[in-house]
Amino acid sequence: MNKNISSQTLQRLPVYLNYLISLPEKIKSGNISATAIADALQLNNVQVRKDLASVSQGGRPRTGYVTAELISDIQSFLGFKNRDGVIVAGVGNFGKAMMCSDSFSDYGFDVICGFDCNENIVGTSINRIPVLDISEMKNFCLNRNIRIGIITVPEKHAQEVCNMMTDSGIKYILNFASVHLNVPKGVTVHNENISLTLAMISRCNFSENRT
Amino acid sequence: MNKNISSQTLQRLPVYLNYLISLPEKIKSGNISATAIADALQLNNVQVRKDLASVSQGGRPRTGYVTAELISDIQSFLGFKNRDGVIVAGVGNFGKAMMCSDSFSDYGFDVICGFDCNENIVGTSINRIPVLDISEMKNFCLNRNIRIGIITVPEKHAQEVCNMMTDSGIKYILNFASVHLNVPKGVTVHNENISLTLAMISRCNFSENRT
DNA sequence: TAGATTGTTAATCGATTAACAATC
DNA sequence: TAGATTGTTAATCGATTAACAATC
């Protein structure tokens, strides 16, 4: 849930977090000032302080913030301490990559099932995660209250699979098929278009501070 | 190259493009007004007009824009009519997915080589794209003037591979390893952190209008 | 105490929106 | 001509930055 934070601030929080985590143990177990963070990340120090103010209890004049607390506060705010089950539809190369990635776990996500219609794959398991027939999605998700799905099927099946997901009670969809998806109100789709990202960074001089 | 366009405008252009392409043939071969686009995408019509003004020759009062021209102008601006060779480092599930994706081509990108150090893979080809030993990267890229690389290796090797890329003259790096990469000045890294994206959309109510 | 750092209030800057004249 | 749509100039809104008092 967004707690009245501007979208710009929200995008900077992970940058701070990443920086704080990368700090040497000495600082990590001590304090850090907003000024130091701002200098390191080449941001304005007031901006950093305002951003941090929106998620943390606040720092102390002269000493700054307790680094560990700050890390913890940002993580809480971004929800990394929650845990959510995630399903993957389409167990091709992309889908397998999702199921094998071990970075999801750090962010509180557990990929708990893959779905496909290829009978050579259905019934197997990948990285100890089962692959079920796509017809079982609805039952599986409703029973477990799954809210999050990743679509890694070919373009031509994406909308169909998307419908199955919304029908299964899924509310947040990360779509890797480069096709626009229509969803009912109350469902969020995020289209991850890798080609477009490549075009933006290499040809349009576009850069966000995302990490 | 960014032609003095605000980053917000730049992010909206692909949204317009996507919408225009999805239009029925009748409109696609005729005209469309900024107002109609704005209504459909739930944006302010002046904003749409300003955005379009920055990339197109302009529309006509009463009739609007020639749809086909508008599509073409946005595509040109975003550089989809250029062609760039792209290399992929790390031919695991993720890397294979990149090499097999047919959507790159629409955006003017050609994945022309994969690199790995696993001798079971090196020498094979995937989707007709060769996989070479990673030690051959520098030669390969310098000879062909490759500017763009995708990193899909495990976290622990990401920085090392990143160094090889910059050493090979690569200027734009799309990084799928969820670890921060240090690069020399003049090189752009874009970190694609899927877990973070998932966290932002499902827990922070974050949504961009990217497509 | 003196100085570093905090959080807040005011000023600036840029993007969005509103109003409107120009055009086909 | 009348009306829809364009592009522009002015007003509004929100985010960033500057100035500063409060605190340890």
Side-chain angles (χ1 to χ4, degrees), chain A residues 7-24:
Chain A
S7 127
Q8 281 89 330
T9 296
L10 186 55
Q11 284 190 267
R12 281 188 298 264
L13 288 175
V15 180
Y16 302 143
L17 181 58
N18 203 56
Y19 171 70
L20 293 170
I21 287 174
S22 76
L23 251 24

Side-chain angles (χ1 to χ4, degrees), chain B residues 111-159:
Chain B
V111 178
I112 56 170
C113 194
F115 293 92
D116 208 293
C117 57
N118 180 339
E119 58 182 24
N120 293 323
I121 308 175
V122 169
T124 65
S125 71
I126 292 180
N127 193 27
R128 296 183 192 172
I129 300 162
V131 180
L132 301 184
D133 190 89
I134 199 145
S135 64
E136 301 185 54
M137 185 193 292
K138 188 169 178 177
N139 248 319
F140 186 95
C141 292
L142 290 176
N143 283 337
R144 288 168 185 76
N145 233 317
I146 305 295
R147 302 184 312 134
I148 303 170
I150 302 178
I151 295 182
T152 50
V153 300
E155 285 186 24
K156 60 175 177 291
H157 295 126
Q159 182 65 59

Side-chain angles (χ1 to χ4, degrees), chain B residues 24 68 77 83 98-99 139 145 160-161 200 206:
Chain B
F77 188 89
R83 293 219 76 82
M98 296 295 138
M99 295 171 78
N139 248 319
N145 233 317
E160 187 189 345
V161 166
M200 302 270 254
F206 177 74

Side-chain angles (χ1 to χ4, degrees), chain A residues 180-202:
Chain A
H180 177 81
L181 298 178
N182 290 108
V183 288
K185 217 163 187 280
V187 177
T188 304
V189 176
H190 182 93
N191 295 294
E192 196 69 64
N193 186 329
I194 295 168
S195 313
L196 181 57
T197 303
L198 222 45
M200 303 270 255
I201 64 167
S202 70

Side-chain angles (χ1 to χ4, degrees), chain B residues 96-114:
Chain B
K96 280 181 200 159
M98 296 295 138
M99 295 171 78
C100 294
S101 166
D102 48 0
S103 84
F104 282 107
S105 181
D106 294 340
Y107 293 79
F109 296 107
D110 301 300
V111 178
I112 56 170
C113 194

